[in-house]
């Protein structure tokens, strides 16, 4: 029987297909039975294609058949060239391989591939356990398929000693046409071979990379430093997340387990390298191109306890800050500035008792108070200062001082003196005239005011006889109440034995005072002894009043505006001042009610900025003004390391950092809670902020350290507070801040090294401690639980002071050994979580102002005052061990060598300390 033309063509193509693998030779060719099964499976499809070719393409079918034949010849070779990852098929897969499949599901691309060499067919070599190697095409000039080239590259580059089998059938099976396969309008399934091939290659690459194992490190090879640091950081973060708690009673701190505490002590010394290792990453993220050493700055081991009882990790930044303050003050501070502003005797007029009466505070007696000192048995004695401007005798052992100024304290500042001078310390302050007096911040106000200068004696950290505090003299002014005052940081003090020709007096300092009439007034203050000697010549009988109160002609008056603007300030009251800390200290900045910041040049000779008055004083106008906030500027502070930078805090709840060389926008603007005051410590790139609790979330009110924005650190929670924090002050010598709040608690906190990321800080609660706590208790014998309820609900001072008394509970600050378990610390933690505020009565225990001493000789002392008019002085002797042991002797010897020529000059000697009550 003569075969049909279609069968003849089928036999020709079948023989050509068989010859293709055989020419490749060897182990890759399928066996006889398998080959026959494949041809049987291909027979119907070939006949269908031949019929379609005859019907639709006519004479062009021959060329198409040859191209398809070559494509079918390349298909089995490409599949046989798989890397040694193919596995043996299951029986059901072998049966499924014999079934015909649509062209869209063939894995070799758009060209139809023959299943004879597909992954579903077991080869004779695979059955014997041998792995077929990829074979190259034998024809000259024939290009390999992209699939074959990729597989060859992967098999050559990666060495897989024990590869896991890859199921190609599973990869391709996910793309087989299920029910509802997408079809063309003609009813033919869509070809998705390219998609299936990409999925297969992706799966193959994932399997190859997962099987590949890097070579084992050789002996002696050490782990890279950066990788080790990153591993430590990840483990620390994971443990912090595991120990994190949402309990609001814990606030920002937590109670760690013993295991966490032991590990924290071991890793305390490695906090700086961990933080600084992230600096290169930070520079890359921020786009800086500067090179940073990967090793970071070295930090000494901080293990064990210091002699004062604190952990060494707490005390190391204190010593570092003290030495840095010394070196920077040598560069930024001056010995003598403003030589023309010398106090003159004819500009000071002593007032009689009748003339001084309008300026005196109304209260003559202090409220009742008691002092309980930790470690000393309470004797239950109630004290009362029975005369205005009087003080108690300092305690022999603790050396704390208490004195009564007559009214609520709202402004206070230490008078600076050179390092190592061992001079008498002075504090200038202002108090309202009445205990119930309230002042509006809007508009301008004028009225009598009294500036007080108190002599505190030579304050020393060593035990010894302490001098009794007394009022040196007072200045009567008519510019309204005082909101802030600042001394010139350096160059304004001269020794009291300096010889001056009459009427000049040796100068104690230069004081700038912000008044409620919108003016800033500068005073040149004389030494108290020189002033008393000059006043004796003015009085006929030579007797000087017990409390010296004088009317003074100021050196200069600073106001906003210009020569043509008149005398009335349009910016409102002045609330904050800051004197430029870098020599020559010729700039003074002030913040006003409408959000304006004005900067004056004190040494200007311009006729547009300086006008000389008929009485010889100067009227200065600012050389630069800018709108810093939308509301009142509540605090302003200059950067102590660079005079080009300034920070402001306003009633619009924003804190802004400014570069005075480009004032069109701030460096950084942070909107947080309502800030009351800021303190910028010398070594750091940020400020410590005291905040009001009116906008604060639960548990977040208190003291925060906020980075200026360059380092990108998050805010560090220094200490939580329950009520409004009215004032904050920082010590450059002790690397510490102290804050007073409405609850009457004065709390101090030793800051960590904030030049590195504060997120690595452990046990921040161990860094803060109470200095003292003031409580208002009823005079009736009531228990401590019923004490608050028994207090009268009134805002009148007279009713409150007759029914209650103040109790001050002082902490022993000479040593911090076993401090976490001591009663003041337990009380502070209870106050932070469970304290209650009573705002429907007069807050007689509230603290409004607190200031650290800027002088090295009294670097451990701080002064605080509040609503009751009682000002207290305390010494943080436990933190000042390094100052008294190393820095003080060196600086005193240096001061004596510098001042010996001036001290030897003839002139009247300074009298004995002022007589005090």
């Amino acid at each position: 029987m003569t075969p049909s033309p279609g069968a003849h063509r089928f036999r020709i193509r079948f023989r050509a297909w068989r010859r293709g693998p055989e020419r490749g030779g060897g182990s890759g060719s399928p066996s006889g039975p398998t080959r026959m099964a494949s041809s049987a499976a291909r027979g119907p499809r070939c006949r269908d294609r031949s019929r379609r070719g005859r019907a639709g393409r006519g004479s062009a079918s021959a060329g198409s058949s040859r191209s398809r034949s070559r494509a079918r010849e390349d298909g089995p070779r490409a599949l046989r060239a798989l890397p040694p990852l193919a596995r043996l098929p299951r029986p059901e897969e072998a049966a499924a391989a014999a079934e015909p499949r649509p062209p869209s599901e063939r894995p070799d691309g758009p060209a139809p591939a023959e299943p004879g060499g597909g992954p579903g067919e077991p080869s004779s070599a695979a059955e014997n356990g041998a792995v077929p190697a990829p074979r190259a095409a034998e024809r000259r000039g024939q290009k390999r398929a992209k699939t074959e080239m990729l597989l060859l590259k992967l098999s050559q580059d990666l060495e897989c000693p024990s590869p896991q089998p890859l199921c190609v059938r599973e990869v391709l099976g996910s793309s087989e046409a299920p029910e509802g396969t997408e079809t063309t309008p003609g009813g033919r399934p869509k070809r998705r071979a390219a998609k299936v091939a990409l999925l297969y290659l992706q799966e193959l690459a994932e399997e190859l990379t997962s099987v590949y194992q890097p070579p084992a490190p050789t002996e002696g090879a050490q782990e890279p430093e950066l990788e080790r640091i990153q591993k430590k950081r990840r483990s620390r973060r994971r443990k912090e997340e595991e120990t994190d708690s949402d309990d609001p009673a814990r606030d920002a701190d937590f109670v760690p387990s013993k295991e966490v505490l032991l590990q924290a002590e071991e890793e305390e010394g490695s906090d700086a390298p961990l933080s600084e290792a992230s600096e290169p990453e930070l520079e890359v993220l921020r786009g800086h191109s500067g090179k940073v050493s990967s090793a970071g700055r070295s930090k000494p081991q901080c293990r064990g306890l210091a002699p004062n009882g604190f952990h060494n990790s707490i005390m190391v930044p204190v010593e570092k800050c003290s030495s840095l303050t010394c070196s920077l003050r040598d560069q930024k501070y001056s010995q003598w500035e403003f030589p023309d502003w010398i106090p003159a005797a004819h500009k000071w007029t002593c007032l009689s008792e009748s003339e001084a009466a309008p300026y005196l505070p109304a209260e003559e007696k202090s409220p009742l108070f008691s002092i309980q000192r930790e470690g000393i048995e309470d004797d239950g004695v109630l004290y009362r200062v029975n005369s205005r401007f009087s003080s108690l005798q300092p305690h022999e052992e603790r050396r704390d001082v208490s004195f009564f100024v007559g009214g609520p304290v709202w402004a206070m500042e230490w008078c600076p003196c050179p390092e190592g001078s061992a001079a008498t310390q002075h504090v200038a302050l202002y108090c309202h005239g009445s205990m119930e007096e309230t002042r509006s911040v809007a508009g301008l106000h004028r009225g009598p005011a009294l500036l007080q200068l108190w002599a505190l004696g030579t304050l020393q950290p060593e035990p010894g006889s302490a001098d009794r505090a007394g009022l040196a003299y007072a200045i009567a002014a008519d510019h309204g109440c005082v909101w802030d005052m600042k001394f010139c940081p350096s160059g304004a003090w001269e020794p009291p034995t300096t010889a001056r020709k009459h009427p000049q007096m040796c100068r104690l300092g230069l004081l700038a005072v912000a008044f409620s009439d919108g003016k800033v007034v500068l005073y040149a203050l004389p030494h108290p002894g020189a002033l008393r000697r000059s006043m004796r010549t003015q009085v006929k009988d030579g007797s000087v009043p017990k409390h010296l109160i004088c009317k003074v002609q100021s050196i200069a008056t600073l106001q906003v505006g210009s020569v043509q603007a008149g005398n009335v300030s349009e910016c409102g009251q002045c609330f904050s001042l800051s004197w430029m800390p870098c020599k020559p200290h010729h700039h003074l900045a002030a913040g006003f009610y409408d959000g304006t910041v004005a900067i004056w040049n004190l040494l200007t000779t311009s006729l547009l900025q300086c006008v000389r008055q008929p009485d010889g004083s100067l009227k200065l106008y600012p050389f630069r003004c800018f709108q810093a906030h939308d509301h009142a500027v509540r605090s302003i502070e200059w950067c102590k390391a660079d005079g080009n930078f300034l920070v402001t805090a306003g009633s619009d709840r924003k804190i802004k950092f400014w570069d005075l060389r480009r004032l069109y926008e701030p460096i950084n603007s942070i909107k947080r809670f309502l800030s009351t005051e800021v303190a910028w410590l010398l070594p750091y790139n940020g400020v410590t902020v005291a905040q009001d609790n009116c906008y604060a979330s639960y548990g977040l009110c208190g003291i925060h350290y906020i980075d200026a924005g360059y380092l990108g650190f998050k805010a560090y929670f220094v200490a939580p507070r329950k009520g409004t924090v009215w004032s904050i002050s920082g010590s450059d010598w002790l690397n510490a801040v102290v804050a007073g709040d409405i609850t009457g608690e004065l709390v101090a906190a030793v800051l960590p090294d904030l030049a590195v990321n504060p997120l690595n800080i452990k046990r921040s609660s161990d860094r803060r401690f109470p200095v003292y706590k003031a409580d208002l208790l009823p005079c009736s014998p009531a228990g401590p639980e019923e004490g608050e309820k028994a207090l009268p609900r009134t805002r009148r001072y007279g009713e409150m002071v007759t029914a209650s008394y103040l109790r001050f509970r002082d902490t022993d600050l000479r040593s911090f050994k076993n401090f976490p378990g001591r009663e003041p610390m337990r009380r502070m933690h209870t106050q932070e979580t469970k304290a209650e505020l009573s705002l429907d009565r007069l807050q007689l225990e509230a603290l409004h102002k607190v200031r650290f001493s800027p002088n090295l000789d009294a670097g451990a002392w701080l002064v605080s005052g509040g609503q009751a008019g009682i000002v207290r002085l305390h010494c943080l002797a436990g933190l000042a061990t390094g100052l008294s042991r190393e820095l003080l002797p060196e600086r005193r010897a240096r001061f004596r060598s510098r001042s010996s020529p001036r001290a030897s000059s003839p002139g009247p000697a300074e009298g004995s300390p002022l007589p005090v009550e």
Side-chain angles (χ1 to χ4, degrees):
M1 182 177 178
T2 305
S4 63
H8 179 68
R9 294 192 192 94
F10 171 76
R11 283 195 295 270
I12 292 175
R13 285 196 294 269
F14 182 73
R15 290 169 186 166
W17 175 80
R18 289 187 59 187
R19 284 196 301 270
E22 289 172 359
R23 279 196 299 269
S27 60
S29 60
S31 59
T34 307
R35 195 178 302 165
M36 292 301 296
S38 303
S39 21
R42 289 182 54 211
R45 281 184 292 177
C46 293
R47 286 193 291 271
D48 292 342
R49 291 192 192 115
S50 63
R51 295 191 193 100
R52 287 197 299 269
R54 285 194 304 270
R57 291 187 294 273
S59 60
S61 60
S64 302
S65 300
R66 286 192 295 271
S67 63
R68 285 197 301 269
S69 176
R70 284 193 298 270
R72 284 195 297 271
E73 291 174 3
D74 292 338
R77 282 197 294 270
L79 290 177
R80 285 197 302 272
L82 287 173
L85 295 176
R87 65 169 176 83
L88 293 177
R90 302 186 185 94
E92 59 270 21
E93 294 176 356
E99 297 177 2
R101 290 184 296 174
S104 60
E105 298 178 3
R106 292 166 189 165
D108 290 331
E114 299 295 335
E121 293 182 8
S123 63
S124 59
E127 290 176 355
N128 298 328
V131 180
R135 57 185 288 274
E138 195 175 59
R139 294 182 182 179
R140 182 176 299 177
Q142 181 180 0
K143 294 184 179 180
R144 303 186 183 190
K146 292 184 179 179
T147 305
E148 184 179 356
M149 296 296 294
L150 179 59
L151 294 177
L152 283 174
K153 181 175 178 57
L154 290 174
S155 63
Q156 292 172 3
D157 292 344
L158 299 177
E159 297 179 1
C160 305
S162 57
Q164 299 293 332
L166 175 66
C167 182
V168 182
R169 184 71 177 178
E170 292 178 0
V171 177
L172 300 180
S174 60
S175 63
E176 289 184 359
E179 296 181 3
T181 305
E182 297 181 5
T183 58
T184 58
R188 188 176 181 180
K190 287 186 177 180
R191 295 191 177 188
R192 295 178 297 170
K195 181 178 179 182
V196 173
L198 289 176
L199 290 175
Y200 164 72
L201 292 176
Q202 181 180 2
E203 187 74 14
L204 179 63
E206 292 177 358
E207 288 291 335
L208 291 175
T209 54
S210 63
V211 170
Y212 175 71
Q213 299 292 337
T218 59
E219 295 183 3
Q222 296 181 355
E223 188 179 8
E225 184 70 18
L226 184 58
E227 184 178 354
R228 182 181 62 83
I229 291 175
Q230 290 176 353
K231 285 183 178 180
K232 278 191 176 182
R233 189 190 300 117
R234 286 194 295 267
S235 63
R236 291 165 64 95
R237 288 178 181 173
R238 184 164 55 251
K239 290 185 178 180
E240 288 177 1
E241 293 175 359
E242 292 174 358
T243 56
D244 192 11
S245 175
D246 294 332
D247 186 6
R250 292 186 175 182
D251 201 359
D253 304 317
F254 61 94
V255 180
S257 62
K258 294 183 179 179
E259 181 182 356
V260 175
L261 286 175
L262 291 175
Q263 182 179 2
E265 291 181 0
E266 294 177 357
E267 296 181 354
E268 192 73 35
S270 62
D271 286 346
L274 283 175
S275 300
E276 292 168 8
S278 62
E279 288 183 5
E281 301 172 6
L282 180 63
E283 294 292 327
V284 171
L285 290 176
R286 297 190 55 187
H288 293 287
S289 59
K291 295 183 179 179
V292 183
S293 174
S294 60
R297 295 187 296 270
S298 61
K299 182 179 179 181
Q301 293 294 329
C302 303
R303 298 182 180 179
L305 298 178
N308 62 354
F310 268 141
H311 198 276
N312 277 325
S313 61
I314 300 177
M315 294 304 300
V316 164
V318 176
E319 299 175 0
K320 176 183 176 182
C321 191
S322 300
S323 60
L324 183 61
T325 301
C326 274
S327 60
L328 286 181
R329 285 196 175 188
D330 291 340
Q331 302 174 14
K332 304 294 182 181
Y333 277 16
S334 174
Q335 297 184 17
W336 187 246
E337 296 292 343
F338 306 102
D340 297 333
W341 292 356
I342 305 298
H346 64 273
K347 296 182 179 181
W348 289 69
T349 304
C350 182
L351 299 182
S352 62
E353 293 185 1
S354 58
E355 294 173 338
Y359 300 95
L360 297 178
E363 298 297 328
E364 296 185 1
K365 298 181 180 181
S366 71
L368 290 172
F369 63 95
S370 65
I371 301 176
Q372 297 180 2
R373 298 175 177 89
E374 182 191 9
I376 299 178
E377 185 178 357
D378 182 22
D379 52 5
V381 176
L382 291 179
Y383 300 94
R384 170 173 281 172
V385 181
N386 291 320
S387 61
R388 190 191 299 117
F389 309 137
S390 300
S391 66
L392 297 180
Q393 186 68 29
H395 194 266
E396 297 179 357
E397 184 178 355
R398 304 293 172 82
R399 291 171 296 155
D400 56 276
V401 181
S402 302
F403 53 92
F404 180 62
V405 299
V409 179
W410 283 102
M412 186 162 48
E413 197 69 27
W414 287 79
C415 178
C417 60
E419 302 165 7
S421 61
T424 301
Q425 304 294 319
H426 294 85
V427 169
L429 58 88
Y430 163 80
C431 66
H432 284 339
S434 172
M435 289 289 185
E436 303 172 5
E437 181 179 353
T438 58
R439 297 294 182 114
S440 173
V441 296
L444 303 177
H445 303 282
R446 295 179 62 88
L450 189 69
L451 300 177
Q452 305 176 28
L453 183 70
W454 285 76
L456 306 178
T458 55
L459 302 176
Q460 303 296 333
E462 298 87 2
S465 60
D467 299 329
R468 197 171 181 178
L471 180 68
Y473 55 84
I475 298 175
D478 297 302
H479 301 287
C481 64
V482 177
W483 293 121
D484 198 8
M485 58 177 66
K486 287 292 187 295
F487 276 95
C488 180
S490 70
W493 185 92
E494 61 181 345
T497 56
T498 303
R500 290 284 182 185
K501 294 183 180 180
H502 187 78
Q504 290 185 344
M505 299 178 288
C506 52
R507 190 173 67 186
L508 176 68
L510 294 174
L511 179 65
V513 184
F515 287 101
S516 60
D517 64 349
K519 295 180 180 180
V520 179
V521 182
L522 264 63
Y523 296 101
L525 303 183
H527 277 277
L531 179 63
R532 284 187 171 272
R533 290 192 296 269
S534 299
M535 291 299 102
R536 291 192 185 101
T537 60
Q538 294 183 6
V539 183
K540 295 180 180 180
D541 55 358
S543 61
V544 179
K546 177 182 178 181
H547 300 303
L548 187 60
I549 301 176
C550 302
K551 290 282 289 185
V552 184
Q553 179 182 329
S554 62
I555 294 293
T557 301
L558 286 62
Q559 68 181 50
V560 181
S562 62
V563 178
Q564 296 86 4
N567 295 327
V568 180
S569 174
E570 299 180 356
C571 297
Q573 302 183 39
C574 182
F575 292 120
S576 54
L577 290 175
S578 183
W579 209 307
M580 185 177 181
C582 305
K583 59 182 180 184
H585 311 295
H586 59 296
H587 289 168
L588 184 68
F592 291 86
Y593 173 75
D594 67 342
T596 300
V597 170
I599 303 176
W600 290 270
N601 184 2
L602 304 179
L603 299 178
T604 182
T605 57
S606 172
L607 297 179
L608 299 177
Q609 300 176 12
C610 179
V611 178
R612 185 167 295 276
Q613 300 295 98
D615 56 359
S617 63
L618 300 176
K619 180 179 289 188
L620 300 178
Y621 296 98
F623 73 94
R624 183 170 296 172
C625 287
F626 61 95
Q627 191 73 22
H629 294 272
D630 297 332
H631 212 281
V633 181
R634 305 190 66 167
S635 183
I636 186 171
E637 193 76 15
W638 226 299
C639 177
K640 297 178 182 178
D642 193 333
N644 292 319
F645 299 100
L646 196 73
V647 63
T648 58
S651 295
D652 55 358
R653 300 168 54 191
K654 291 183 180 180
I655 300 172
K656 297 183 179 181
F657 295 86
W658 301 91
D659 186 348
L660 298 180
R661 294 165 295 188
R662 52 179 195 92
L663 288 173
Y664 52 86
E665 64 176 356
I667 299 174
N668 194 13
S669 179
I670 305 168
K671 187 171 184 179
R672 295 182 64 87
F673 317 130
L674 183 61
S675 302
T676 55
E677 195 171 15
V678 298
W680 199 332
L681 268 68
L682 180 62
Y684 301 131
N685 190 38
V687 295
T688 311
V689 185
Q691 296 171 337
D692 200 332
N693 64 342
C694 58
Y695 292 104
S697 303
Y698 177 78
L700 294 180
C701 178
I703 310 167
H704 296 257
Y705 172 81
I706 299 177
D707 184 72
Y710 176 74
L711 296 178
F713 294 161
K714 292 184 178 180
Y716 170 65
F717 201 8
V718 179
R721 296 286 85 199
K722 201 63 178 178
T724 298
V725 183
W726 282 115
S727 179
I728 189 171
S729 178
S731 172
D732 296 330
W733 300 109
L734 302 179
N735 191 42
V737 293
V738 63
D741 57 20
I742 194 174
T743 64
E745 187 168 21
L746 184 65
V747 62
V750 182
L751 297 178
D753 188 0
L754 294 173
V756 298
N757 199 331
L759 293 179
N760 295 325
I761 303 304
K762 296 290 188 300
R763 303 187 302 274
S764 60
S765 60
D766 293 347
R767 296 178 175 270
R768 60 179 181 266
F769 54 90
V771 179
Y772 71 85
K773 176 69 172 70
D775 296 310
L776 189 63
L777 301 177
C779 293
S780 60
E785 293 82 5
E786 300 179 358
E788 180 65 33
K789 299 179 181 178
L791 291 174
R793 304 299 172 183
T794 178
R795 293 187 176 275
R796 294 186 176 276
Y797 174 77
E799 299 176 5
M800 183 63 71
V801 75
T802 55
S804 61
Y805 73 97
L806 285 170
R807 179 184 64 184
F808 296 103
R809 290 185 285 181
D810 293 3
T811 305
D812 186 5
L813 301 173
R814 298 172 300 174
S815 175
F816 300 97
K817 295 181 179 180
N818 303 322
F819 209 47
R822 285 159 59 175
E823 192 273 336
M825 288 291 288
R826 296 197 304 269
R827 183 182 67 240
M828 182 190 70
H829 291 313
T830 304
Q831 180 77 13
E832 291 173 353
T833 57
K834 299 181 180 179
E836 296 182 359
L837 296 177
S838 299
L839 301 179
D840 55 349
R841 63 170 176 83
L842 181 64
Q843 301 292 329
L844 198 60
E845 72 275 20
L847 299 178
H848 296 159
K849 279 296 174 182
V850 56
R851 287 292 182 266
F852 256 120
S853 173
N855 306 320
L856 177 61
D857 297 83
W861 289 83
L862 58 91
V863 62
S864 58
Q867 180 65 37
I870 299 175
V871 178
R872 307 199 66 206
L873 199 66
H874 292 82
C875 178
L876 275 63
L879 288 178
T881 55
L883 295 178
S884 57
R885 184 174 62 251
E886 299 176 1
L887 291 178
L888 267 178
E890 175 188 350
R891 291 291 167 164
R892 285 178 179 174
R894 183 177 179 180
F895 178 81
R896 286 193 294 267
S897 62
R898 285 182 176 180
S899 59
S900 55
R902 297 184 65 183
S904 60
S905 59
E910 172 75 358
S912 59
L914 297 175
V916 294
E917 184 178 350

